[in-house]
Amino acid sequence: MLHSKRILIGISGGIASYKVCEVVSTLAKAGADVRVILTEGATQFISPLTFATLSRHPAYTDRSFWQPDHHRPLHIELGEWAEVFLIAPLTANTLAKLTYGLADNLLTNTVLASACPVLLAPAMNTEMWQQSTVQRNWQQIKTDSRYHILSPGAGILACDRVGTGRMAEPPEILAYLQSLLYTNGKRDLQGKRILISTGGTREHFDPVRFIGNPSTGKMGIALAQAAIHRGATVTLVHAPVQAELLAVLPSVQLIPTITADEMHQAMLSYSPEADWIIMAAAVADVRPAKVHPEKLPKRSLPDSLPLAPVPDIVADLSQRKQPHQRLIGFAAQTGDILPPAQEKLQRKRLDAIVANPIDQPNSGFGSDQNQAIFLNAQGHQVRIPPCSKLHLAHQLFEFVQAESIHRGA
């Protein structure tokens, strides 16, 4: 999703500019073609040489803007060249200029001379962020479909203040850039409410031992990211997942669960309001018939473990599905993945299913990549070769949308 992509990065004056070093370095190592513009204020925090080194290209400043050594005006050349434009950190000053279409430096002139999607990642002191004028500008620019936003988070700031104003972290920025490169900024899920489950449930038989599986929740998190980037409102019901993985979803409603029973209750509770329901979690099929309230000594562990069934979440969701809703399941399989996925699709009356192999390299549980076969109730199949889970998530949304259009939904 990044190789040979043309990414323009604008940096305005703020201490958070140090975070952009990781963004530029990661993009360049992935094969993207990166160009960097620094405002005069940005050069007081970080050297253009730093970004020139990380991007493998000269970094531009206002001094570059006024030097007559380009065949065409630099802001025109860069604006036409870019496929996506990131501005991070976005200061209150640059935000005001963008809101009113002002252009008094290379960065703001290039914004006006470009037509690609622009991703904005603000960073500033909490008091500055909360000023009514700043908030008015922020709300105004959000109405412009060209601009995509990563709202600042809360935490301790460089001024030692604890509050809102922290710039989004590099992993969140990188994922959004990849989405914009894939979708070209379209918000085709605007107004959709999407409910997603993810992670592997745990069925304890004492406080420290449980029946589980290797699911990390990465696929469901990628689905949530892709949906948010396409304009949807997302609720994510998750089994135990590492906190740093969930940190990239600040605008997603997170519902934590542990057991299949808890996930069952949460999914049924939130499903009536959803337009699409995607069951990406790896849910246990059985649980210990008896749960011990205290840790069993090793000598007391049973030779056999009686098991009991857990609720079939997908089957119950299918029975309650409303006509306008779409229900998508996952089938993690080994060997020939197609027949069991087809059987599950029909038996549970799903609108679509994702069959993905867990016995192939760089696929399935724990991997950052995946591969799959998409199937829908009309018999349409699409084979997805190995790709990032975010890329696969975008392709799944397009597959489901095409089926919905065909059905007139």
Side-chain angles (χ1 to χ4, degrees):
M1 295 177 75
L2 290 172
H3 185 72
S4 299
K5 296 298 184 180
R6 303 185 303 275
I7 302 171
L8 184 58
I9 298 179
I11 302 171
S12 49
I15 188 61
S17 56
Y18 79 91
K19 291 183 179 180
V20 189
C21 293
E22 181 180 341
V23 174
V24 173
S25 178
T26 302
L27 292 171
K29 289 176 181 177
D33 197 357
V34 184
R35 301 289 189 275
V36 178
I37 299 172
L38 295 93
T39 66
E40 184 62 30
T43 64
Q44 305 302 309
F45 288 91
I46 198 160
S47 165
L49 179 59
T50 298
F51 287 108
T53 303
L54 294 174
S55 68
R56 286 73 161 171
H57 290 286
Y60 302 105
T61 66
D62 284 349
R63 183 174 299 180
S64 312
F65 190 18
W66 305 117
Q67 288 180 348
D69 57 351
H70 297 279
H71 298 296
R72 303 176 66 213
L74 180 58
H75 63 297
I76 304 296
E77 197 170 278
L78 289 172
E80 293 179 352
W81 171 86
E83 292 181 81
V84 67
F85 200 157
L86 165 69
I87 303 179
L90 175 72
T91 61
N93 185 46
T94 300
L95 169 62
K97 292 177 183 179
L98 297 182
T99 303
Y100 292 100
L102 302 179
D104 64 349
N105 58 17
L106 177 57
L107 174 57
T108 51
N109 272 274
T110 305
V111 171
L112 295 186
S114 61
C116 63
V118 181
L119 178 60
L120 304 176
M124 63 192 77
N125 165 269
T126 301
E127 205 67 50
M128 297 172 67
W129 174 250
Q130 292 176 344
Q131 290 292 327
S132 60
T133 51
V134 173
Q135 285 302 305
R136 183 170 62 245
N137 290 341
W138 184 238
Q139 295 306 318
Q140 176 64 29
I141 207 162
K142 287 163 66 174
T143 65
D144 189 326
S145 61
R146 186 185 175 201
Y147 292 103
H148 300 258
I149 62 167
L150 282 170
S151 295
I156 185 168
L157 308 179
C159 59
D160 293 328
R161 174 78 180 268
V162 177
T164 302
R166 287 178 60 89
M167 192 178 82
E169 298 301 320
E172 189 181 352
I173 293 172
L174 289 162
Y176 212 138
L177 286 174
Q178 292 179 68
S179 290
L180 291 176
L181 287 165
Y182 184 87
T183 66
N184 196 33
K186 65 183 176 184
R187 294 183 174 90
D188 51 356
L189 294 181
Q190 190 86 43
K192 294 288 186 185
R193 295 163 297 180
I194 299 182
L195 175 63
I196 302 169
S197 72
T198 198
T201 60
R202 297 177 179 180
E203 305 300 329
H204 283 265
F205 68 89
D206 74 9
V208 298
R209 302 181 180 97
F210 59 86
I211 298 173
N213 58 70
S215 175
T216 58
K218 289 181 179 179
M219 188 67 243
I221 290 169
L223 287 163
Q225 285 181 303
I228 287 290
H229 298 163
R230 298 176 87 117
T233 300
V234 177
T235 298
L236 182 70
V237 176
H238 64 89
V241 172
Q242 292 181 7
E244 57 266 31
L245 295 178
L246 295 173
V248 300
L249 302 173
S251 59
V252 171
Q253 183 181 18
L254 300 176
I255 311 298
T257 63
I258 297 176
T259 67
D261 275 330
E262 291 174 356
M263 183 169 284
H264 179 255
Q265 293 171 16
M267 292 298 290
L268 293 186
S269 175
Y270 287 94
S271 63
E273 303 302 319
D275 297 300
W276 292 9
I277 305 167
I278 305 177
M279 196 68 197
V283 182
D285 296 303
V286 293
R287 59 175 176 81
K290 181 179 181 181
V291 180
H292 299 271
E294 296 181 353
K295 179 185 175 181
L296 293 176
K298 186 175 182 179
R299 64 179 179 276
S300 300
L301 291 175
D303 294 329
S304 62
L305 187 65
L307 300 174
V310 301
D312 190 329
I313 302 176
V314 172
D316 286 349
L317 289 170
S318 178
Q319 289 181 358
R320 292 165 170 78
K321 186 166 75 75
Q322 302 169 43
H324 75 279
Q325 291 181 316
R326 296 292 171 265
L327 179 59
I328 301 100
F330 271 68
Q333 300 289 342
T334 59
D336 187 354
I337 65 175
L338 199 53
Q342 290 173 320
E343 190 273 335
K344 183 176 180 179
L345 173 72
Q346 295 170 3
R347 176 168 50 88
K348 300 195 176 182
R349 295 180 296 173
L350 303 174
D351 294 293
I353 195 166
V354 179
N356 64 290
I358 58 173
D359 56 354
Q360 299 297 316
N362 298 317
S363 295
F365 296 137
S367 174
D368 292 327
Q369 290 192 308
N370 211 346
Q371 55 183 298
I373 301 173
F374 298 161
L375 304 90
N376 67 19
Q378 288 68 47
H380 186 211
Q381 296 181 19
V382 174
R383 186 175 294 270
I384 307 298
C387 61
S388 73
K389 288 183 173 178
L390 182 63
H391 192 179
L392 188 143
H394 281 295
Q395 293 177 89
L396 176 60
F397 288 133
E398 293 181 347
F399 179 80
V400 175
Q401 284 193 100
E403 182 267 341
S404 296
I405 293 171
H406 178 73
R407 291 174 58 178

